[in-house]
Amino acid sequence: MVDVCIVGSGAGASPVAYELSKAGFKVVVLEKGPYLKTSDYNKDELVVTRKDLYIPNLKDERHEIVQLDKAT
């Protein structure tokens, strides 16, 4: 059993999870994305921005995509 469940490990959630665990709480973080190893990261910011790593594929997301007629 856990005390806190955090959904998503973004920039705000990770420090909160860290501080809560340091305070003695049992914390679990749920993340939708793939498991990443250190070798998956690159310190070159230009290269990182060109990767699809941080941009979800729309086919994987529950969005409705509607194409409008250009004649309208």
Side-chain angles (χ1 to χ4, degrees), residues 9-10 14 31-42 48 51-55:
S9 62
S14 297
E31 180 59 55
K32 177 182 175 184
Y35 178 78
L36 301 174
K37 299 175 284 215
T38 304
S39 61
D40 294 324
Y41 294 98
N42 188 329
V48 170
K51 283 188 173 182
D52 291 336
L53 183 65
Y54 303 105
I55 303 169

Side-chain angles (χ1 to χ4, degrees), residues 18-64:
Y18 174 74
E19 291 297 329
L20 287 171
S21 64
K22 269 182 43 178
F25 291 96
K26 293 179 184 176
V27 180
V28 64
V29 179
L30 301 178
E31 180 59 55
K32 177 182 175 184
Y35 178 78
L36 301 174
K37 299 175 284 215
T38 304
S39 61
D40 294 324
Y41 294 98
N42 188 329
K43 295 190 185 271
D44 185 341
E45 291 183 21
L46 290 176
V47 172
V48 170
T49 59
R50 294 184 185 125
K51 283 188 173 182
D52 291 336
L53 183 65
Y54 303 105
I55 303 169
N57 186 344
L58 287 179
K59 293 178 184 174
D60 297 335
E61 300 295 320
R62 293 185 180 200
H63 297 299
E64 184 175 333

